[in-house]
Amino acid sequence: MPGSGEARTGGIRPLADERPADERTAHGQPEGDSHGLLVATGLATARGKRQRVGSGIDLEVRAGRVLAITGPNGIGKSTLGLTLAGLLRPAAGTLRATSSLAGEAGPTPHSWRSRELAARIGTVFQDPEHQFVARTVREEIAAGPEALGLPDVADRVDELLEAFGLTHLADANPFTLSGGEQRRLAIATVIATRPPVIVLDEPTSGQDRATWQAVVDRLGALADAGTAVVAVTHDRDLVRALDADEVVLSATSATPAERDTTGAEAAARTAPRAPSSDRSDLWKPTTEVTR
C-alpha cells in the first residue's frame, strides 16, 4: 500500500554511526561541508498582504542537510516554504541568504531577479501543474537548464527521465500526466538546474512504493552531494528515511523536533542509490551561481 511505512523501509538511511558525536554531521558530511545558506530570524509569513499565518520562526537551511517542515493542516507550512524559496516577501523579521548562496545578488531572496533566484533556489509547488511551461515532458525538464545557459542539457534530461520513471512519457503533454507523474516531473525540472537549495511541497504525494523510493533516493543523494533540501511534508516515512532535521510549525514558532527513529532499528540499512562514477556530475549542486 503506497501510504504504509512497511512498504517503504528499503530506503531508510543508516542511523547508526560509531564515530564520536563531535565528528558527525547529518548525511555523513565531513565537518565543515554543512554550512548555512538561508537564515530566518523572527520570521513571520503571510498569505497576501494582510493574512499573517506564522510568526516567531527561527531556523537555518544548511548545505548537505534535509530540513523537514511539519505541522497541522492550515498552519502555514506551504507559505513558509514559498517564503524560504524567495517567492513571498517576509511579513516581519528577516530571511537572509548568506554570501555563499547570494553571491552578488544581495542577502534578501525575495528581491532577486528571476534568473538569480532560479540559479540559487528551486521550488516544487504544492500543485505542480502550476509551474509547467512547456509542451512536452522532455521540453519541460530542459527549460530551466536552457534558460540558464547550462551545459549538457540532453544528458541531464535523459538521466532525470530515467531516474523518475518518465522516459516513456517524454513526448507527452505535462498536463495529461497523473498527479504523481506531474509531481515527479516537477521535481525533475527543479533539480535539472542543480541549484544549491531546493524547496519541495509534499514531494512524495501521489507516489506508489517504487516511485516513492525513487524520489527519496534522489533527495538523499542530492543532500549527500551538498544540496540543501527543504521538504514541507506530512510523510513521516520521508522524514525518517532521509534522517531529516525537523521543525514543527505552529502559529507562533517553528520548534525543532526530536529525531524520529521509530521503526528504524528494524528497517533495512540500505542507503539511497549512489551515482555511477561517470555520471556523478549529474548529482552535484551548482557551486558557482550566476552573478
Side-chain angles (χ1 to χ4, degrees):
M1 179 178 177
S4 68
E6 181 181 359
R8 296 174 174 174
T9 57
I12 291 181
R13 294 173 158 218
L15 297 180
D17 189 335
E18 297 180 355
R19 289 174 296 162
D22 61 355
E23 295 179 9
R24 299 196 303 262
T25 57
H27 312 299
Q29 294 292 314
E31 191 68 44
D33 280 8
S34 181
H35 54 278
L37 298 178
L38 293 169
V39 180
T41 305
L43 180 68
T45 62
R47 302 187 186 105
K49 294 183 178 180
R50 297 184 178 180
Q51 188 182 359
R52 186 174 294 193
V53 293
S55 62
I57 299 168
D58 298 318
L59 57 78
E60 186 174 26
V61 176
R62 300 183 66 82
R65 303 286 287 267
V66 179
L67 175 66
I69 300 173
T70 65
N73 288 332
I75 201 64
K77 298 186 299 297
S78 295
T79 304
L80 174 57
L82 292 173
T83 304
L84 293 175
L87 298 174
L88 292 177
R89 180 189 296 269
T94 62
L95 175 67
R96 179 179 60 86
T98 65
S99 59
S100 59
L101 176 64
E104 297 177 1
T108 53
H110 71 268
S111 67
W112 293 344
R113 297 189 299 268
S114 58
R115 185 181 178 89
E116 293 172 333
L117 186 63
R120 292 164 172 81
I121 306 175
T123 308
V124 174
F125 297 160
Q126 187 175 38
D127 298 308
E129 67 272 16
H130 291 171
Q131 62 195 89
F132 296 150
V133 298
R135 296 174 298 177
T136 71
V137 168
R138 182 180 296 277
E139 291 173 352
E140 190 69 46
I141 299 174
E146 288 176 347
L148 294 176
L150 301 178
D152 306 320
V153 174
D155 287 343
R156 296 174 190 236
V157 172
D158 288 342
E159 193 273 337
L160 288 167
L161 286 171
E162 180 179 357
F164 286 110
L166 297 171
T167 302
H168 66 295
L169 297 169
D171 296 323
N173 187 308
F175 293 97
T176 67
L177 305 185
S178 70
E181 290 165 345
Q182 287 185 338
R183 193 163 300 276
R184 298 198 306 280
L185 173 59
I187 296 171
T189 62
V190 164
I191 65 178
T193 60
R194 305 173 201 164
V197 179
I198 58 173
V199 179
L200 310 100
D201 200 327
E202 299 291 356
T204 55
S205 176
Q207 306 308 313
D208 62 20
R209 175 177 179 175
T211 58
W212 183 95
Q213 192 66 62
V215 170
V216 170
D217 285 355
R218 191 52 177 255
L219 296 182
L222 286 167
D224 287 340
T227 301
V229 178
V230 179
V232 173
T233 186
H234 289 94
D235 187 346
R236 300 306 310 170
D237 292 332
L238 174 69
V239 176
R240 286 192 291 267
L242 293 177
D243 194 20
D245 301 320
E246 180 182 0
V247 294
V248 182
L249 192 63
S250 70
T252 58
S253 68
T255 305
E258 292 186 9
R259 193 169 299 278
D260 185 355
T261 60
T262 305
E265 292 80 1
R269 306 304 195 188
T270 304
R273 293 190 301 268
S276 59
S277 59
D278 60 336
R279 304 298 294 278
S280 60
D281 61 311
L282 297 175
W283 296 66
K284 294 179 181 178
T286 303
T287 55
E288 294 185 3
V289 296
T290 304
R291 305 296 188 189

